[in-house]
Amino acid sequence: MRFLKFIGYYFVGIIGILLVSVSPALFKMGEFLSLSSYTTQLQRLISQLRHPEEWVYETRFRSEPLFDYLWEPYLYSMTVLTSGILVGFSLAVLLAIITILIPNWAKTLLKRITSVFESVPDLLLAFGIQLFIVWFYKQTGLLVVDFVSVGSEKIYGLPILVLSVLPMLTMYKIMTLLFEEEMTKSYVGLVKSKGIEKVTILFVHVFRNIFKSAFYNSKIIVWGSLSSLLIIEYIFNMNGITSAFLSNFQPIVSFMILLLIFTPFFFVYQGTEMLLFKEDEKTEEVLKMNTFLSFGNVSFRIKWLGDVFKEIGAHFKNMKFLMGFSIIFIILCSSIVYTLTADPLIEKFYHITDESGKLVSAAPHTPEFVFLGTDALGFSIFDQLMVGAKYTIAFAAIIAFLRMILGFLFAVPFVFFLPLKVQKVMEKLIDSLHFLPMTIIALLLLRPVLMMPLDTGFKTSEMERILYQGVILTLLAVPLVMTLFGNEFKLLMREEYVASTKILGGSSLHLLWKQLLPHLSARMGVIFGQQFIQTLLIFIHLGVFNIFFGGTKINRRDPPTSTTFEWSGMIGSAKDSLMTGRWWLIIPVLLGFMVLIVSMQMIIQGIKEVQQVRVGVPLEKNSFWKNIFQRRSRYQRRVPEPQEESFVLVKEKERKSS
């Protein structure tokens, strides 16, 4: 029975891949959302799949059997990907265990170092390592490791290292949080009272209890790593699956690439889940809510609204939350004010001459002549940063907010009103998205609309393109957020206070608003922050492939440019600048993304700290340096030697008094 379910879920995932692979047909011949073209292309793809002799990869010069062409790049990409993930997860577990065992001052230092590295986009990390290797080679004449692939040669070390950073940092934070929460459980205190060492408690008891939660969280990490693989292959010029995908957007090619990526991860995760995690037969009974509704009176709603504002206000008392929010808010307001007052909006510098009229600089101008320099067309980098900041922040926040709200709203009927069997089928269909690179799917859906045709120009308005891109980037993540909230609902419905509310006759709306939503409020803030950061990273990834927010203007003479001056457009038009020595074209915008990511990480950390205080996880409130000085002064204190007169025997005292 389990084997049949396994095969059934696999075919459900294949159906999802099939529907995604033909999505570019919605925009054939300049049409917008052409269902007839989509249906025709879908039928043609199904017909091709029935005839293996039609599985060919067409290049400009020849046609080759599809699997023969894809197999070697696929093995190369999967070797780098799986190695990077395994290295990252192994280091994350090791660092998390070390963090629990080391003193608090060292723990604080380690967490801050990892937070700094987590804010570095994978694009900047890859560029930075490449530049360091080049600089070291110039200084010493020693090439430590190959930093780019040339021709048919393959490089492994550096791509695996860069790819392992994201899984390591993300899993480290998850494991540390799970360890700290689990160490507050009552059974840990009982085991400690028996004199068992902390290391034994950690490995024998705690690690086993958090494995399931860490396993499910790893799916999100794998999903992010799949998108990072495309960027890393592009930066290191690797002849992997990315080059095969970008060279041919035929539906049969897209389908096979997505299927090859999806299959091994599905077998590993779904196989592990079915073999090790038993399904709870009481789940359906636990998830049942009382069928009647009770909306209550207006005062109840006003009181609930007041509780919401009180909840938000409590987070502003946390210094990390306040600092992160203030930085993002100041950048957003500055961009809006600058856009309304600047004239011209984007200043252009053609040629720069000295007092005698002699030409001293031509575009692109360095920061020596123009503040932050200019791009290849002479447009000021500073002006573009100021104008584009509002688009980057506003649309990332809107997309993240819509993902969170829609995911929450869909999770309620999904968990509480659909039969459990239907939920299982939908979960497995949605689960397949964890094993598909979001960047590839976004490229398939966005490229036909956002890339301007050379001959005809755009046939859609800028507002239509912005709305379309916002809808696509929102809907791609809503199913995953929905299942995430659904799992949170299922965990909360097992709590004793929920069962008591149901027995006492609490309505479904009362249970949702008064019992479930307050416990999910902090989690919703964390999910919003995570989705905000993921949206920024998707902007960066799409920018590398010249897919800019609002549209990409193309002509035969100049590099691609953005219609909105959003920050990802600056990355796309200058992605090769570091290797040519024109660092000012891309470093400022990458630092801008880092500031936004660090600020949102501070907000997320602030939310987590407020939540941890509520559940009883002890927090270290002192700073790193204060901890060191306190430890030093503590060790410097000397206990005075006891004097003989300090000891008084009770019986002797009683005898003297009598």
Side-chain angles (χ1 to χ4, degrees), residues 41-76:
Q41 189 65 63
L42 181 61
Q43 293 174 348
R44 186 179 302 170
L45 177 58
I46 295 174
S47 176
Q48 278 185 292
L49 294 176
R50 293 174 181 172
H51 303 88
E53 65 274 6
E54 297 183 14
W55 300 0
V56 295
Y57 188 95
E58 297 181 0
T59 62
R60 184 179 300 179
F61 305 104
R62 64 186 187 279
S63 297
E64 296 185 27
L66 186 58
F67 272 109
D68 292 345
Y69 187 88
L70 294 179
W71 189 246
E72 185 176 353
Y74 168 73
L75 288 180
Y76 182 29

Short mmCIF file of all heavy atoms in Angstrom, two decimals, residues 41-76:
data_model
loop_
_atom_site.label_atom_id
_atom_site.label_comp_id
_atom_site.label_asym_id
_atom_site.label_seq_id
_atom_site.Cartn_x
_atom_site.Cartn_y
_atom_site.Cartn_z
N GLN A 41 0.16 23.40 -27.06
CA GLN A 41 1.53 23.04 -26.72
C GLN A 41 1.56 21.88 -25.72
O GLN A 41 2.43 21.00 -25.79
CB GLN A 41 2.27 24.24 -26.13
CG GLN A 41 3.76 24.03 -25.95
CD GLN A 41 4.48 23.84 -27.27
OE1 GLN A 41 4.51 24.73 -28.11
NE2 GLN A 41 5.06 22.68 -27.47
N LEU A 42 0.60 21.85 -24.80
CA LEU A 42 0.53 20.76 -23.83
C LEU A 42 0.23 19.43 -24.52
O LEU A 42 0.85 18.40 -24.21
CB LEU A 42 -0.55 21.07 -22.78
CG LEU A 42 -0.74 20.03 -21.67
CD1 LEU A 42 0.54 19.85 -20.87
CD2 LEU A 42 -1.90 20.44 -20.76
N GLN A 43 -0.70 19.45 -25.47
CA GLN A 43 -1.00 18.23 -26.23
C GLN A 43 0.21 17.77 -27.04
O GLN A 43 0.48 16.56 -27.14
CB GLN A 43 -2.19 18.48 -27.14
CG GLN A 43 -3.50 18.73 -26.40
CD GLN A 43 -4.64 19.13 -27.33
OE1 GLN A 43 -4.41 19.44 -28.51
NE2 GLN A 43 -5.86 19.13 -26.81
N ARG A 44 0.95 18.72 -27.60
CA ARG A 44 2.13 18.37 -28.39
C ARG A 44 3.21 17.75 -27.50
O ARG A 44 3.87 16.79 -27.89
CB ARG A 44 2.66 19.61 -29.08
CG ARG A 44 3.81 19.35 -30.06
CD ARG A 44 4.24 20.65 -30.72
NE ARG A 44 3.12 21.28 -31.41
CZ ARG A 44 3.15 22.51 -31.91
NH1 ARG A 44 4.26 23.25 -31.77
NH2 ARG A 44 2.09 23.03 -32.51
N LEU A 45 3.38 18.29 -26.29
CA LEU A 45 4.38 17.75 -25.38
C LEU A 45 4.00 16.33 -24.95
O LEU A 45 4.85 15.44 -24.89
CB LEU A 45 4.53 18.65 -24.15
CG LEU A 45 5.49 18.17 -23.06
CD1 LEU A 45 6.89 17.95 -23.62
CD2 LEU A 45 5.52 19.16 -21.90
N ILE A 46 2.74 16.11 -24.63
CA ILE A 46 2.28 14.76 -24.25
C ILE A 46 2.50 13.78 -25.39
O ILE A 46 2.91 12.64 -25.18
CB ILE A 46 0.80 14.80 -23.82
CG1 ILE A 46 0.63 15.65 -22.55
CG2 ILE A 46 0.26 13.40 -23.60
CD1 ILE A 46 -0.80 15.85 -22.13
N SER A 47 2.26 14.25 -26.61
CA SER A 47 2.49 13.40 -27.77
C SER A 47 3.98 13.07 -27.93
O SER A 47 4.35 11.94 -28.26
CB SER A 47 1.96 14.08 -29.03
OG SER A 47 2.25 13.33 -30.18
N GLN A 48 4.85 14.05 -27.67
CA GLN A 48 6.30 13.81 -27.74
C GLN A 48 6.74 12.79 -26.71
O GLN A 48 7.60 11.94 -26.99
CB GLN A 48 7.06 15.12 -27.53
CG GLN A 48 7.19 15.98 -28.77
CD GLN A 48 8.05 17.20 -28.50
OE1 GLN A 48 7.67 18.10 -27.75
NE2 GLN A 48 9.21 17.23 -29.12
N LEU A 49 6.18 12.88 -25.52
CA LEU A 49 6.57 11.95 -24.46
C LEU A 49 6.18 10.51 -24.79
O LEU A 49 6.81 9.57 -24.31
CB LEU A 49 5.92 12.37 -23.13
CG LEU A 49 6.41 13.70 -22.55
CD1 LEU A 49 5.62 14.06 -21.30
CD2 LEU A 49 7.90 13.64 -22.24
N ARG A 50 5.19 10.34 -25.62
CA ARG A 50 4.78 8.99 -26.02
C ARG A 50 5.72 8.38 -27.05
O ARG A 50 5.72 7.17 -27.25
CB ARG A 50 3.36 9.02 -26.60
CG ARG A 50 2.28 9.37 -25.57
CD ARG A 50 0.94 9.51 -26.27
NE ARG A 50 -0.13 9.86 -25.33
CZ ARG A 50 -1.36 10.20 -25.71
NH1 ARG A 50 -1.67 10.24 -27.01
NH2 ARG A 50 -2.27 10.50 -24.79
N HIS A 51 6.52 9.23 -27.70
CA HIS A 51 7.41 8.75 -28.77
C HIS A 51 8.85 9.14 -28.42
O HIS A 51 9.30 10.26 -28.71
CB HIS A 51 7.02 9.35 -30.12
CG HIS A 51 5.60 9.06 -30.51
ND1 HIS A 51 4.54 9.87 -30.13
CD2 HIS A 51 5.07 8.04 -31.23
CE1 HIS A 51 3.42 9.37 -30.61
NE2 HIS A 51 3.70 8.25 -31.28
N PRO A 52 9.61 8.26 -27.77
CA PRO A 52 10.98 8.58 -27.36
C PRO A 52 11.90 9.00 -28.51
O PRO A 52 12.89 9.70 -28.26
CB PRO A 52 11.46 7.27 -26.72
CG PRO A 52 10.22 6.57 -26.29
CD PRO A 52 9.18 6.93 -27.32
N GLU A 53 11.58 8.59 -29.74
CA GLU A 53 12.44 8.99 -30.85
C GLU A 53 12.38 10.50 -31.11
O GLU A 53 13.24 11.06 -31.79
CB GLU A 53 12.05 8.23 -32.12
CG GLU A 53 10.67 8.54 -32.67
CD GLU A 53 9.58 7.69 -32.02
OE1 GLU A 53 9.91 6.96 -31.06
OE2 GLU A 53 8.42 7.78 -32.48
N GLU A 54 11.36 11.17 -30.55
CA GLU A 54 11.24 12.62 -30.72
C GLU A 54 11.91 13.39 -29.58
O GLU A 54 11.87 14.61 -29.56
CB GLU A 54 9.76 13.01 -30.79
CG GLU A 54 9.02 12.43 -31.98
CD GLU A 54 7.58 12.90 -32.04
OE1 GLU A 54 7.24 13.88 -31.33
OE2 GLU A 54 6.79 12.32 -32.80
N TRP A 55 12.56 12.68 -28.67
CA TRP A 55 13.25 13.34 -27.57
C TRP A 55 14.63 13.77 -28.05
O TRP A 55 15.62 13.04 -27.93
CB TRP A 55 13.39 12.41 -26.37
CG TRP A 55 12.07 11.93 -25.81
CD1 TRP A 55 10.83 12.24 -26.24
CD2 TRP A 55 11.90 11.04 -24.71
NE1 TRP A 55 9.87 11.61 -25.48
CE2 TRP A 55 10.50 10.86 -24.53
CE3 TRP A 55 12.77 10.37 -23.86
CZ2 TRP A 55 9.98 10.05 -23.54
CZ3 TRP A 55 12.25 9.57 -22.86
CH2 TRP A 55 10.87 9.41 -22.70
N VAL A 56 14.72 14.95 -28.61
CA VAL A 56 15.98 15.45 -29.17
C VAL A 56 16.26 16.84 -28.62
O VAL A 56 15.35 17.59 -28.25
CB VAL A 56 15.93 15.49 -30.71
CG1 VAL A 56 15.83 14.09 -31.28
CG2 VAL A 56 14.78 16.36 -31.20
N TYR A 57 17.54 17.15 -28.55
CA TYR A 57 18.00 18.48 -28.15
C TYR A 57 18.54 19.16 -29.40
O TYR A 57 19.55 18.74 -29.96
CB TYR A 57 19.08 18.39 -27.08
CG TYR A 57 19.46 19.72 -26.47
CD1 TYR A 57 18.89 20.16 -25.29
CD2 TYR A 57 20.41 20.55 -27.09
CE1 TYR A 57 19.23 21.37 -24.73
CE2 TYR A 57 20.76 21.76 -26.54
CZ TYR A 57 20.17 22.17 -25.36
OH TYR A 57 20.51 23.39 -24.81
N GLU A 58 17.87 20.22 -29.82
CA GLU A 58 18.24 20.90 -31.06
C GLU A 58 19.14 22.08 -30.76
O GLU A 58 18.81 22.95 -29.97
CB GLU A 58 16.98 21.37 -31.79
CG GLU A 58 16.07 20.23 -32.24
CD GLU A 58 14.85 20.73 -32.98
OE1 GLU A 58 14.74 21.98 -33.13
OE2 GLU A 58 14.02 19.92 -33.40
N THR A 59 20.31 22.08 -31.37
CA THR A 59 21.23 23.21 -31.29
C THR A 59 21.26 23.91 -32.65
O THR A 59 20.57 23.53 -33.59
CB THR A 59 22.64 22.74 -30.90
OG1 THR A 59 23.13 21.85 -31.92
CG2 THR A 59 22.61 22.00 -29.58
N ARG A 60 22.09 24.94 -32.74
CA ARG A 60 22.15 25.70 -33.98
C ARG A 60 22.73 24.87 -35.12
O ARG A 60 22.37 25.07 -36.28
CB ARG A 60 23.00 26.96 -33.77
CG ARG A 60 23.07 27.88 -34.97
CD ARG A 60 23.92 29.10 -34.67
NE ARG A 60 23.37 29.86 -33.54
CZ ARG A 60 23.93 30.97 -33.06
NH1 ARG A 60 25.06 31.42 -33.61
NH2 ARG A 60 23.39 31.60 -32.04
N PHE A 61 23.60 23.93 -34.80
CA PHE A 61 24.30 23.20 -35.84
C PHE A 61 23.83 21.76 -36.00
O PHE A 61 23.96 21.19 -37.07
CB PHE A 61 25.81 23.22 -35.55
CG PHE A 61 26.37 24.60 -35.37
CD1 PHE A 61 26.67 25.08 -34.11
CD2 PHE A 61 26.58 25.42 -36.47
CE1 PHE A 61 27.18 26.35 -33.94
CE2 PHE A 61 27.09 26.70 -36.30
CZ PHE A 61 27.39 27.17 -35.04
N ARG A 62 23.28 21.16 -34.94
CA ARG A 62 22.91 19.75 -35.05
C ARG A 62 21.83 19.42 -34.02
O ARG A 62 21.51 20.23 -33.15
CB ARG A 62 24.13 18.86 -34.82
CG ARG A 62 24.72 18.95 -33.43
CD ARG A 62 26.01 18.16 -33.30
NE ARG A 62 26.50 18.10 -31.94
CZ ARG A 62 27.19 19.07 -31.35
NH1 ARG A 62 27.47 20.18 -32.03
NH2 ARG A 62 27.61 18.93 -30.10
N SER A 63 21.32 18.20 -34.14
CA SER A 63 20.36 17.67 -33.17
C SER A 63 20.92 16.39 -32.57
O SER A 63 21.49 15.57 -33.28
CB SER A 63 19.01 17.38 -33.86
OG SER A 63 18.44 18.57 -34.36
N GLU A 64 20.78 16.27 -31.24
CA GLU A 64 21.29 15.11 -30.53
C GLU A 64 20.19 14.49 -29.69
O GLU A 64 19.24 15.19 -29.29
CB GLU A 64 22.46 15.51 -29.62
CG GLU A 64 23.67 16.03 -30.37
CD GLU A 64 24.83 16.29 -29.42
OE1 GLU A 64 24.87 15.61 -28.37
OE2 GLU A 64 25.66 17.15 -29.73
N PRO A 65 20.30 13.18 -29.39
CA PRO A 65 19.35 12.57 -28.46
C PRO A 65 19.37 13.31 -27.12
O PRO A 65 20.43 13.66 -26.60
CB PRO A 65 19.87 11.13 -28.32
CG PRO A 65 20.63 10.89 -29.58
CD PRO A 65 21.24 12.20 -29.97
N LEU A 66 18.18 13.56 -26.60
CA LEU A 66 18.05 14.44 -25.44
C LEU A 66 18.82 13.94 -24.23
O LEU A 66 19.57 14.69 -23.61
CB LEU A 66 16.55 14.60 -25.10
CG LEU A 66 16.22 15.61 -23.99
CD1 LEU A 66 16.73 16.98 -24.34
CD2 LEU A 66 14.70 15.65 -23.77
N PHE A 67 18.67 12.67 -23.88
CA PHE A 67 19.33 12.14 -22.69
C PHE A 67 20.85 12.10 -22.87
O PHE A 67 21.60 12.34 -21.92
CB PHE A 67 18.81 10.75 -22.35
CG PHE A 67 17.59 10.78 -21.46
CD1 PHE A 67 16.35 10.45 -21.95
CD2 PHE A 67 17.70 11.17 -20.14
CE1 PHE A 67 15.23 10.49 -21.14
CE2 PHE A 67 16.60 11.21 -19.30
CZ PHE A 67 15.35 10.86 -19.81
N ASP A 68 21.31 11.78 -24.09
CA ASP A 68 22.74 11.77 -24.34
C ASP A 68 23.35 13.15 -24.14
O ASP A 68 24.48 13.29 -23.65
CB ASP A 68 23.03 11.27 -25.76
CG ASP A 68 22.68 9.80 -25.93
OD1 ASP A 68 22.49 9.13 -24.90
OD2 ASP A 68 22.58 9.34 -27.08
N TYR A 69 22.61 14.18 -24.51
CA TYR A 69 23.10 15.55 -24.39
C TYR A 69 23.05 16.04 -22.94
O TYR A 69 23.96 16.73 -22.47
CB TYR A 69 22.29 16.48 -25.29
CG TYR A 69 22.83 17.88 -25.36
CD1 TYR A 69 23.79 18.23 -26.31
CD2 TYR A 69 22.40 18.87 -24.46
CE1 TYR A 69 24.29 19.53 -26.36
CE2 TYR A 69 22.90 20.15 -24.51
CZ TYR A 69 23.84 20.48 -25.46
OH TYR A 69 24.35 21.75 -25.51
N LEU A 70 21.99 15.66 -22.21
CA LEU A 70 21.77 16.21 -20.87
C LEU A 70 22.48 15.42 -19.77
O LEU A 70 22.72 15.97 -18.69
CB LEU A 70 20.27 16.25 -20.54
CG LEU A 70 19.39 17.20 -21.36
CD1 LEU A 70 17.94 17.08 -20.91
CD2 LEU A 70 19.86 18.64 -21.19
N TRP A 71 22.80 14.17 -20.02
CA TRP A 71 23.23 13.32 -18.92
C TRP A 71 24.53 13.79 -18.27
O TRP A 71 24.63 13.87 -17.05
CB TRP A 71 23.38 11.87 -19.41
CG TRP A 71 23.62 10.91 -18.29
CD1 TRP A 71 24.73 10.17 -18.04
CD2 TRP A 71 22.70 10.59 -17.24
NE1 TRP A 71 24.57 9.41 -16.91
CE2 TRP A 71 23.33 9.65 -16.39
CE3 TRP A 71 21.40 11.00 -16.92
CZ2 TRP A 71 22.71 9.12 -15.27
CZ3 TRP A 71 20.79 10.48 -15.79
CH2 TRP A 71 21.44 9.55 -14.98
N GLU A 72 25.55 14.11 -19.07
CA GLU A 72 26.83 14.54 -18.49
C GLU A 72 26.71 15.86 -17.75
O GLU A 72 27.18 15.97 -16.60
CB GLU A 72 27.89 14.63 -19.59
CG GLU A 72 29.28 14.94 -19.04
CD GLU A 72 30.34 14.94 -20.12
OE1 GLU A 72 30.02 14.56 -21.27
OE2 GLU A 72 31.49 15.31 -19.82
N PRO A 73 26.07 16.91 -18.33
CA PRO A 73 25.88 18.14 -17.54
C PRO A 73 25.04 17.91 -16.29
O PRO A 73 25.30 18.53 -15.25
CB PRO A 73 25.16 19.08 -18.53
CG PRO A 73 25.48 18.55 -19.87
CD PRO A 73 25.62 17.08 -19.71
N TYR A 74 24.06 17.01 -16.38
CA TYR A 74 23.22 16.73 -15.21
C TYR A 74 24.03 16.10 -14.08
O TYR A 74 23.92 16.51 -12.92
CB TYR A 74 22.07 15.81 -15.63
CG TYR A 74 21.29 15.23 -14.48
CD1 TYR A 74 20.42 16.02 -13.74
CD2 TYR A 74 21.43 13.88 -14.13
CE1 TYR A 74 19.70 15.49 -12.68
CE2 TYR A 74 20.72 13.34 -13.08
CZ TYR A 74 19.86 14.15 -12.35
OH TYR A 74 19.15 13.61 -11.31
N LEU A 75 24.85 15.11 -14.40
CA LEU A 75 25.68 14.47 -13.38
C LEU A 75 26.66 15.48 -12.76
O LEU A 75 26.90 15.46 -11.54
CB LEU A 75 26.46 13.30 -13.98
CG LEU A 75 25.65 12.04 -14.32
CD1 LEU A 75 26.57 10.97 -14.91
CD2 LEU A 75 24.94 11.49 -13.09
N TYR A 76 27.21 16.34 -13.58
CA TYR A 76 28.13 17.37 -13.09
C TYR A 76 27.42 18.30 -12.10
O TYR A 76 27.90 18.55 -10.98
CB TYR A 76 28.68 18.16 -14.28
CG TYR A 76 29.69 19.22 -13.94
CD1 TYR A 76 30.52 19.11 -12.83
CD2 TYR A 76 29.82 20.35 -14.75
CE1 TYR A 76 31.46 20.09 -12.53
CE2 TYR A 76 30.76 21.33 -14.47
CZ TYR A 76 31.56 21.19 -13.36
OH TYR A 76 32.48 22.16 -13.07
#
